[in-house]
Amino acid sequence: MGRCPACGEWNTMVEEPKAPKEASSATALSRSRAIISAQDALPQMLDDIDFSAESRFSIGIAELDRVLGGGMVEGSMILIGGEPGIGKSTLSLQIPLCCKNLRTLYVSGEESPKQIKLRSERLGGNGDNCMVLSETLLENIVGQAKKTAPQLLIVDSIQTIYSEALDSSAGSVSQVRECASALLRFAKESNTPVILIGHITKDGTIAGPKILEHIVDVVLQFEGDTKGSYRILRSIKNRFGSTDELAVFEMTGIGLREVSNPSEILIPMHQDDLSGIAIGAMIDGTRPFLIEIQALVSTAAYGTPQRSATGFDSRRLNMLLAVLEKRAGFKLASKDVFLNIAGGLKVSDPACDLAIVASVLSSNFDLYISPKVCFAAEVGLSGEIRPVSQIERRIAEAEKLGFEQIFISSFNKESSFARRKDSRIKVTAVSDIAALCRVLFQ
Ligand code: TYD
Ligand code: MG
């Protein structure tokens, strides 16, 4: 059915697999019970539960181990999502090549064994313990996995495999869900960790990773510009560790290279002495990240000054410029102002205000801001610098990425200064734009 008669929406109907005959009343609930424990479960005292059972092992890629929370947990299911071409297949093939004691079954629904061999030649490493299977039928994959009993199963990608039990085509919501639950059952029953690869489009709407997030134990997302060489692997969900972790990789001619000191990415992007550039610490959805904001202020050639903003609301830019004019005495009315958010991103987080103001001022004075400095605060109409939410996470992200100083609102001071003492980043609280100028461009 194309249109749902209940809500009137198009293409929202999803095919559900029929429940097994012996348990015709079986619901999703009883099915998920079968996943977690095969026998009838009895309540246990929390204190009596032996948690040493959660054993971890290292997979030989230090950054990946760290994002996973200190290695891979046996019997866990990990989803690696990302846009096509970002390097998911490369990373997952590098795991068995780096960790030679790990018997791995690498299932590919996209590439032939020859192609995989070719890629592994390029990546180098040791393929002694890596079995390869080109297959898209779920039942065969699970059968082979049970037969070969690998220590790690990698399935690339969940959208290409299908189950005979359903009529719908591979990649549809019901197939993806059915295949993932079958693989989850395999993972829990055999205590084998399973890595699923999932494609995701820019807006994350395509059937796939999004609907799997609640099934799997760990969700890692690969981000970055496929044309650039840097990739960020971020933990979005982790039942065995923190979700604040991120790892940075560089795509090279011989595969992904770990970047253990991520600040090396941001620094060589421009020379120290370029004016008009400021870094803002913003939060998009639930994830913090740092973006570069570029401004160009020049003398207006014609009567009416030009204002242009790419990736940012131009009305808000006009407001910020008006604030600068009124409260800080800058004669911007006779200047053209161009604003650009680097990397083609769009920002709407008010925490970018301070970085925008700083980049405009920097271009106006032609004084550069150190690339190791970033900003996170909102600017109010009277020129006051206002607090923003989740300031600790912004500071932590900036610290992780190697920044040395962050400017925040003095109203955020309390929460941010309560942080641990050994932090490597200097937090500077400012109360208004004049104070910011004094500290930045003195
Ligand atoms: P891939 O892992 O196939 O992406 P995904 O599985 O996420 O779709 O990687 C694709 C890109 O990586 C491809 O454009 C080529 C590039 N690449 C390298 O630059 N170096 C390498 O060693 C490899 C294997 C791939
Ligand atoms: Mg691939």
Side-chain angles (χ1 to χ4, degrees):
M1 204 181 293
R3 185 161 185 258
C4 171
C7 66
E9 287 295 316
W10 287 92
N11 301 328
T12 53
M13 301 294 282
V14 167
E15 181 193 358
E16 283 289 343
K18 251 207 217 136
K21 280 171 210 76
E22 63 274 16
S24 52
S25 65
T27 57
L29 192 69
S30 64
R31 247 196 295 154
S32 67
R33 200 201 70 182
I35 293 169
I36 293 164
S37 93
Q39 328 85 351
D40 279 339
L42 293 171
Q44 270 177 294
M45 292 309 289
L46 200 52
D47 281 351
D48 297 343
I49 299 174
D50 178 19
F51 66 59
S52 59
E54 183 201 292
S55 54
R56 288 178 184 270
F57 61 89
S58 161
I59 43 181
I61 302 178
E63 288 293 297
L64 188 55
D65 277 337
R66 200 169 50 78
V67 174
L68 289 171
M72 201 174 276
V73 175
E74 276 171 8
S76 64
M77 184 135 110
I78 297 156
L79 173 69
I80 302 182
E83 289 166 42
I86 198 119
K88 303 178 296 295
S89 308
T90 308
L91 179 70
S92 54
L93 190 56
Q94 268 179 284
I95 297 171
L97 296 177
C98 287
C99 189
K100 57 176 187 292
N101 295 323
L102 192 68
R103 259 171 63 79
T104 308
L105 178 59
Y106 182 92
V107 180
S108 179
E110 301 184 344
E111 288 164 310
S112 67
K114 273 209 186 95
Q115 280 174 303
I116 299 168
K117 174 76 184 162
L118 206 69
R119 190 194 292 255
S120 74
E121 289 289 309
R122 204 167 148 186
L123 298 175
N126 190 321
D128 288 354
N129 256 328
C130 181
M131 295 170 279
V132 169
L133 173 69
S134 272
E135 178 59 87
T136 50
L137 183 62
L138 171 76
E139 284 75 13
N140 277 353
I141 294 171
V142 174
Q144 287 301 327
K146 282 185 177 153
K147 205 150 97 194
T148 52
Q151 289 165 297
L152 171 67
L153 172 66
I154 300 172
V155 178
D156 182 9
S157 65
I158 186 74
Q159 275 103 344
T160 54
I161 63 173
Y162 71 100
S163 163
E164 280 175 330
L166 297 177
D167 291 335
S168 52
S169 58
S172 63
V173 177
S174 48
Q175 283 285 9
V176 165
R177 197 154 45 196
E178 183 61 19
C179 293
S181 0
L183 290 167
L184 181 66
R185 254 190 313 270
F186 167 75
K188 300 297 167 195
E189 280 166 16
S190 63
N191 213 21
T192 311
V194 175
I195 295 181
L196 294 182
I197 310 283
H199 293 295
I200 192 165
T201 51
K202 261 221 161 72
D203 49 356
T205 50
I206 277 274
K210 284 283 166 209
I211 55 166
L212 293 178
E213 279 178 11
H214 67 279
I215 302 181
V216 300
D217 297 310
V218 180
V219 180
L220 303 180
Q221 185 151 324
F222 238 132
E223 296 166 5
D225 190 355
T226 47
K227 288 176 206 77
S229 60
Y230 290 104
R231 308 279 192 269
I232 291 178
L233 186 68
R234 198 185 287 274
S235 149
I236 299 182
K237 164 181 173 175
N238 193 346
R239 288 193 179 139
F240 316 109
S242 152
T243 50
D244 288 336
E245 290 295 350
L246 66 83
V248 181
F249 292 93
E250 184 189 8
M251 182 61 93
T252 66
I254 52 162
L256 288 159
R257 180 184 73 90
E258 300 171 67
V259 180
S260 27
N261 176 20
S263 55
E264 72 181 73
I265 308 171
L266 278 159
I267 296 157
M269 277 203 307
H270 53 79
Q271 282 105 25
D272 269 7
D273 49 0
L274 287 182
S275 66
I277 293 175
I279 314 279
M282 63 171 278
I283 289 189
D284 173 33
T286 58
R287 285 169 288 149
F289 63 89
L290 285 111
I291 53 168
E292 187 182 283
I293 288 162
Q294 304 167 336
L296 176 67
V297 178
S298 63
T299 312
Y302 307 101
T304 342
Q306 286 191 67
R307 303 274 186 257
S308 154
T310 314
F312 187 73
D313 182 7
S314 50
R315 274 174 307 179
R316 185 140 189 111
L317 172 65
N318 281 334
M319 185 213 97
L320 292 174
L321 294 178
V323 169
L324 280 181
E325 174 121 54
K326 175 93 178 169
R327 306 289 170 191
F330 299 106
K331 297 275 169 281
L332 284 161
S334 57
K335 307 268 188 180
D336 289 340
V337 179
F338 303 96
L339 188 79
N340 181 34
I341 311 292
L345 290 169
K346 263 198 163 61
V347 300
S348 51
D349 186 351
C352 283
D353 285 359
L354 195 59
I356 288 169
V357 163
S359 67
V360 168
L361 291 176
S362 160
S363 179
N364 190 45
F365 296 145
D366 201 17
L367 290 173
Y368 76 93
I369 301 171
S370 158
K372 293 196 172 170
V373 169
C374 62
F375 303 85
E378 190 181 335
V379 173
L381 280 181
S382 53
E384 83 277 21
I385 293 179
R386 299 164 59 90
V388 287
S389 63
Q390 307 188 51
I391 192 73
E392 295 90 348
R393 294 183 60 204
R394 299 175 200 264
I395 298 174
E397 182 85 353
E399 184 182 3
K400 230 181 293 174
L401 289 174
F403 283 85
E404 287 168 3
Q405 190 177 20
I406 182 166
F407 284 87
I408 63 164
S409 159
S410 30
F411 296 102
N412 268 140
K413 213 170 157 181
E414 292 303 312
S415 55
S416 60
F417 276 68
R419 309 174 63 237
R420 52 178 215 285
K421 292 283 171 288
D422 63 339
S423 68
R424 282 168 283 134
I425 191 163
K426 183 175 159 205
V427 179
T428 310
V430 281
S431 55
D432 55 33
I433 290 175
L436 174 77
C437 289
R438 272 199 304 279
V439 190
L440 261 188
F441 307 112
Q442 63 198 341

mmCIF file of all heavy atoms in Angstrom, residues 392-417:
data_model
loop_
_atom_site.group_PDB
_atom_site.id
_atom_site.type_symbol
_atom_site.label_atom_id
_atom_site.label_comp_id
_atom_site.label_asym_id
_atom_site.label_seq_id
_atom_site.Cartn_x
_atom_site.Cartn_y
_atom_site.Cartn_z
ATOM 1 N N GLU A 392 30.285 22.243 28.878
ATOM 2 C CA GLU A 392 31.360 21.287 29.213
ATOM 3 C C GLU A 392 31.697 20.420 28.005
ATOM 4 O O GLU A 392 32.852 20.106 27.761
ATOM 5 C CB GLU A 392 30.947 20.355 30.367
ATOM 6 C CG GLU A 392 30.721 21.024 31.693
ATOM 7 C CD GLU A 392 29.284 21.474 31.850
ATOM 8 O OE1 GLU A 392 28.532 21.471 30.849
ATOM 9 O OE2 GLU A 392 28.907 21.852 32.974
ATOM 10 N N ARG A 393 30.649 20.019 27.273
ATOM 11 C CA ARG A 393 30.914 19.150 26.124
ATOM 12 C C ARG A 393 31.657 19.900 25.029
ATOM 13 O O ARG A 393 32.496 19.348 24.342
ATOM 14 C CB ARG A 393 29.593 18.590 25.574
ATOM 15 C CG ARG A 393 28.936 17.652 26.574
ATOM 16 C CD ARG A 393 27.690 17.040 26.016
ATOM 17 N NE ARG A 393 27.962 16.264 24.828
ATOM 18 C CZ ARG A 393 27.048 16.002 23.892
ATOM 19 N NH1 ARG A 393 25.837 16.488 24.018
ATOM 20 N NH2 ARG A 393 27.353 15.279 22.848
ATOM 21 N N ARG A 394 31.337 21.171 24.873
ATOM 22 C CA ARG A 394 32.047 21.960 23.855
ATOM 23 C C ARG A 394 33.518 22.106 24.249
ATOM 24 O O ARG A 394 34.416 21.971 23.412
ATOM 25 C CB ARG A 394 31.412 23.340 23.719
ATOM 26 C CG ARG A 394 29.950 23.286 23.279
ATOM 27 C CD ARG A 394 29.365 24.686 23.280
ATOM 28 N NE ARG A 394 27.910 24.665 23.334
ATOM 29 C CZ ARG A 394 27.128 24.763 22.250
ATOM 30 N NH1 ARG A 394 27.646 24.912 21.075
ATOM 31 N NH2 ARG A 394 25.820 24.739 22.379
ATOM 32 N N ILE A 395 33.723 22.374 25.536
ATOM 33 C CA ILE A 395 35.110 22.543 25.991
ATOM 34 C C ILE A 395 35.861 21.220 25.837
ATOM 35 O O ILE A 395 36.995 21.189 25.372
ATOM 36 C CB ILE A 395 35.139 23.037 27.457
ATOM 37 C CG1 ILE A 395 34.468 24.412 27.550
ATOM 38 C CG2 ILE A 395 36.566 23.114 27.972
ATOM 39 C CD1 ILE A 395 34.304 24.937 28.953
ATOM 40 N N ALA A 396 35.188 20.119 26.197
ATOM 41 C CA ALA A 396 35.850 18.815 26.109
ATOM 42 C C ALA A 396 36.215 18.492 24.665
ATOM 43 O O ALA A 396 37.299 17.976 24.388
ATOM 44 C CB ALA A 396 34.934 17.734 26.677
ATOM 45 N N GLU A 397 35.313 18.820 23.744
ATOM 46 C CA GLU A 397 35.585 18.546 22.330
ATOM 47 C C GLU A 397 36.777 19.378 21.844
ATOM 48 O O GLU A 397 37.656 18.871 21.151
ATOM 49 C CB GLU A 397 34.344 18.888 21.499
ATOM 50 C CG GLU A 397 34.477 18.614 20.022
ATOM 51 C CD GLU A 397 34.148 17.175 19.652
ATOM 52 O OE1 GLU A 397 33.952 16.372 20.586
ATOM 53 O OE2 GLU A 397 34.124 16.870 18.457
ATOM 54 N N ALA A 398 36.786 20.659 22.244
ATOM 55 C CA ALA A 398 37.891 21.531 21.828
ATOM 56 C C ALA A 398 39.205 21.012 22.395
ATOM 57 O O ALA A 398 40.223 20.982 21.712
ATOM 58 C CB ALA A 398 37.625 22.957 22.303
ATOM 59 N N GLU A 399 39.142 20.548 23.641
ATOM 60 C CA GLU A 399 40.350 20.034 24.275
ATOM 61 C C GLU A 399 40.847 18.790 23.541
ATOM 62 O O GLU A 399 42.033 18.634 23.265
ATOM 63 C CB GLU A 399 40.037 19.702 25.737
ATOM 64 C CG GLU A 399 41.250 19.252 26.506
ATOM 65 C CD GLU A 399 40.907 18.884 27.936
ATOM 66 O OE1 GLU A 399 39.717 18.938 28.304
ATOM 67 O OE2 GLU A 399 41.835 18.546 28.664
ATOM 68 N N LYS A 400 39.890 17.920 23.214
ATOM 69 C CA LYS A 400 40.242 16.689 22.522
ATOM 70 C C LYS A 400 40.880 16.977 21.175
ATOM 71 O O LYS A 400 41.761 16.277 20.721
ATOM 72 C CB LYS A 400 38.956 15.866 22.303
ATOM 73 C CG LYS A 400 39.084 14.437 22.734
ATOM 74 C CD LYS A 400 37.805 13.681 22.483
ATOM 75 C CE LYS A 400 36.639 14.118 23.333
ATOM 76 N NZ LYS A 400 35.384 13.487 22.987
ATOM 77 N N LEU A 401 40.413 18.039 20.526
ATOM 78 C CA LEU A 401 40.932 18.356 19.202
ATOM 79 C C LEU A 401 42.204 19.199 19.275
ATOM 80 O O LEU A 401 42.692 19.665 18.266
ATOM 81 C CB LEU A 401 39.870 19.070 18.368
ATOM 82 C CG LEU A 401 38.718 18.176 17.920
ATOM 83 C CD1 LEU A 401 37.638 18.968 17.229
ATOM 84 C CD2 LEU A 401 39.214 17.083 16.984
ATOM 85 N N GLY A 402 42.699 19.413 20.474
ATOM 86 C CA GLY A 402 44.008 20.048 20.599
ATOM 87 C C GLY A 402 43.994 21.559 20.690
ATOM 88 O O GLY A 402 45.026 22.191 20.514
ATOM 89 N N PHE A 403 42.836 22.164 20.981
ATOM 90 C CA PHE A 403 42.814 23.613 21.142
ATOM 91 C C PHE A 403 43.413 23.998 22.486
ATOM 92 O O PHE A 403 43.336 23.232 23.453
ATOM 93 C CB PHE A 403 41.384 24.156 21.020
ATOM 94 C CG PHE A 403 40.930 24.225 19.603
ATOM 95 C CD1 PHE A 403 40.389 23.127 18.981
ATOM 96 C CD2 PHE A 403 41.113 25.382 18.865
ATOM 97 C CE1 PHE A 403 40.015 23.166 17.659
ATOM 98 C CE2 PHE A 403 40.734 25.440 17.539
ATOM 99 C CZ PHE A 403 40.186 24.329 16.936
ATOM 100 N N GLU A 404 43.998 25.191 22.528
ATOM 101 C CA GLU A 404 44.672 25.594 23.759
ATOM 102 C C GLU A 404 43.880 26.612 24.555
ATOM 103 O O GLU A 404 44.140 26.824 25.732
ATOM 104 C CB GLU A 404 46.061 26.161 23.417
ATOM 105 C CG GLU A 404 47.006 25.043 23.009
ATOM 106 C CD GLU A 404 48.292 25.553 22.388
ATOM 107 O OE1 GLU A 404 48.485 26.778 22.330
ATOM 108 O OE2 GLU A 404 49.082 24.696 21.963
ATOM 109 N N GLN A 405 42.924 27.277 23.897
ATOM 110 C CA GLN A 405 42.151 28.283 24.618
ATOM 111 C C GLN A 405 40.738 28.350 24.049
ATOM 112 O O GLN A 405 40.541 28.251 22.840
ATOM 113 C CB GLN A 405 42.823 29.658 24.470
ATOM 114 C CG GLN A 405 42.213 30.699 25.388
ATOM 115 C CD GLN A 405 42.931 32.039 25.303
ATOM 116 O OE1 GLN A 405 43.628 32.320 24.344
ATOM 117 N NE2 GLN A 405 42.737 32.866 26.305
ATOM 118 N N ILE A 406 39.767 28.514 24.944
ATOM 119 C CA ILE A 406 38.397 28.680 24.476
ATOM 120 C C ILE A 406 37.785 29.877 25.184
ATOM 121 O O ILE A 406 37.987 30.071 26.388
ATOM 122 C CB ILE A 406 37.563 27.388 24.672
ATOM 123 C CG1 ILE A 406 36.140 27.571 24.124
ATOM 124 C CG2 ILE A 406 37.516 26.944 26.124
ATOM 125 C CD1 ILE A 406 35.370 26.276 23.967
ATOM 126 N N PHE A 407 37.079 30.705 24.422
ATOM 127 C CA PHE A 407 36.399 31.864 24.987
ATOM 128 C C PHE A 407 34.932 31.503 25.220
ATOM 129 O O PHE A 407 34.260 31.028 24.307
ATOM 130 C CB PHE A 407 36.485 33.053 24.036
ATOM 131 C CG PHE A 407 37.826 33.712 24.040
ATOM 132 C CD1 PHE A 407 38.835 33.250 23.218
ATOM 133 C CD2 PHE A 407 38.088 34.778 24.897
ATOM 134 C CE1 PHE A 407 40.083 33.842 23.226
ATOM 135 C CE2 PHE A 407 39.334 35.376 24.912
ATOM 136 C CZ PHE A 407 40.346 34.919 24.079
ATOM 137 N N ILE A 408 34.471 31.735 26.437
ATOM 138 C CA ILE A 408 33.073 31.458 26.748
ATOM 139 C C ILE A 408 32.478 32.665 27.486
ATOM 140 O O ILE A 408 33.191 33.612 27.811
ATOM 141 C CB ILE A 408 32.917 30.188 27.615
ATOM 142 C CG1 ILE A 408 33.612 30.379 28.963
ATOM 143 C CG2 ILE A 408 33.480 28.969 26.914
ATOM 144 C CD1 ILE A 408 33.195 29.356 29.989
ATOM 145 N N SER A 409 31.195 32.603 27.740
ATOM 146 C CA SER A 409 30.546 33.683 28.473
ATOM 147 C C SER A 409 30.893 33.590 29.954
ATOM 148 O O SER A 409 31.041 32.486 30.491
ATOM 149 C CB SER A 409 29.041 33.556 28.290
ATOM 150 O OG SER A 409 28.392 34.234 29.322
ATOM 151 N N SER A 410 30.977 34.723 30.607
ATOM 152 C CA SER A 410 31.303 34.654 32.040
ATOM 153 C C SER A 410 30.159 34.022 32.836
ATOM 154 O O SER A 410 30.365 33.559 33.943
ATOM 155 C CB SER A 410 31.654 36.032 32.597
ATOM 156 O OG SER A 410 30.972 37.027 31.916
ATOM 157 N N PHE A 411 28.963 33.946 32.211
ATOM 158 C CA PHE A 411 27.846 33.279 32.906
ATOM 159 C C PHE A 411 27.981 31.759 32.857
ATOM 160 O O PHE A 411 27.297 31.045 33.562
ATOM 161 C CB PHE A 411 26.514 33.694 32.295
ATOM 162 C CG PHE A 411 26.228 35.149 32.466
ATOM 163 C CD1 PHE A 411 26.405 36.031 31.420
ATOM 164 C CD2 PHE A 411 25.806 35.645 33.693
ATOM 165 C CE1 PHE A 411 26.160 37.377 31.582
ATOM 166 C CE2 PHE A 411 25.563 36.990 33.858
ATOM 167 C CZ PHE A 411 25.745 37.856 32.796
ATOM 168 N N ASN A 412 28.819 31.275 31.956
ATOM 169 C CA ASN A 412 29.066 29.841 31.878
ATOM 170 C C ASN A 412 30.227 29.416 32.766
ATOM 171 O O ASN A 412 30.559 28.244 32.843
ATOM 172 C CB ASN A 412 29.418 29.425 30.439
ATOM 173 C CG ASN A 412 28.207 28.992 29.644
ATOM 174 O OD1 ASN A 412 28.100 29.310 28.477
ATOM 175 N ND2 ASN A 412 27.299 28.285 30.278
ATOM 176 N N LYS A 413 30.816 30.418 33.418
ATOM 177 C CA LYS A 413 32.060 30.177 34.145
ATOM 178 C C LYS A 413 31.908 29.106 35.213
ATOM 179 O O LYS A 413 32.695 28.168 35.278
ATOM 180 C CB LYS A 413 32.480 31.484 34.808
ATOM 181 C CG LYS A 413 33.965 31.661 34.910
ATOM 182 C CD LYS A 413 34.244 33.077 35.360
ATOM 183 C CE LYS A 413 35.599 33.170 36.007
ATOM 184 N NZ LYS A 413 35.865 34.527 36.468
ATOM 185 N N GLU A 414 30.821 29.238 35.997
ATOM 186 C CA GLU A 414 30.626 28.330 37.138
ATOM 187 C C GLU A 414 30.738 26.873 36.709
ATOM 188 O O GLU A 414 31.561 26.125 37.196
ATOM 189 C CB GLU A 414 29.240 28.549 37.741
ATOM 190 C CG GLU A 414 29.092 29.900 38.410
ATOM 191 C CD GLU A 414 30.113 30.122 39.496
ATOM 192 O OE1 GLU A 414 30.275 29.206 40.327
ATOM 193 O OE2 GLU A 414 30.770 31.184 39.499
ATOM 194 N N SER A 415 29.912 26.510 35.716
ATOM 195 C CA SER A 415 29.856 25.105 35.333
ATOM 196 C C SER A 415 31.172 24.645 34.725
ATOM 197 O O SER A 415 31.603 23.522 34.932
ATOM 198 C CB SER A 415 28.715 24.883 34.348
ATOM 199 O OG SER A 415 28.858 25.745 33.264
ATOM 200 N N SER A 416 31.805 25.529 33.952
ATOM 201 C CA SER A 416 32.985 25.056 33.238
ATOM 202 C C SER A 416 34.217 25.008 34.129
ATOM 203 O O SER A 416 35.112 24.211 33.902
ATOM 204 C CB SER A 416 33.255 25.944 32.044
ATOM 205 O OG SER A 416 33.479 27.239 32.486
ATOM 206 N N PHE A 417 34.247 25.848 35.149
ATOM 207 C CA PHE A 417 35.441 25.862 35.990
ATOM 208 C C PHE A 417 35.435 24.758 37.028
ATOM 209 O O PHE A 417 36.431 24.480 37.660
ATOM 210 C CB PHE A 417 35.619 27.230 36.648
ATOM 211 C CG PHE A 417 36.322 28.190 35.754
ATOM 212 C CD1 PHE A 417 35.720 28.652 34.601
ATOM 213 C CD2 PHE A 417 37.616 28.601 36.026
ATOM 214 C CE1 PHE A 417 36.371 29.510 33.745
ATOM 215 C CE2 PHE A 417 38.274 29.467 35.175
ATOM 216 C CZ PHE A 417 37.655 29.934 34.027
#
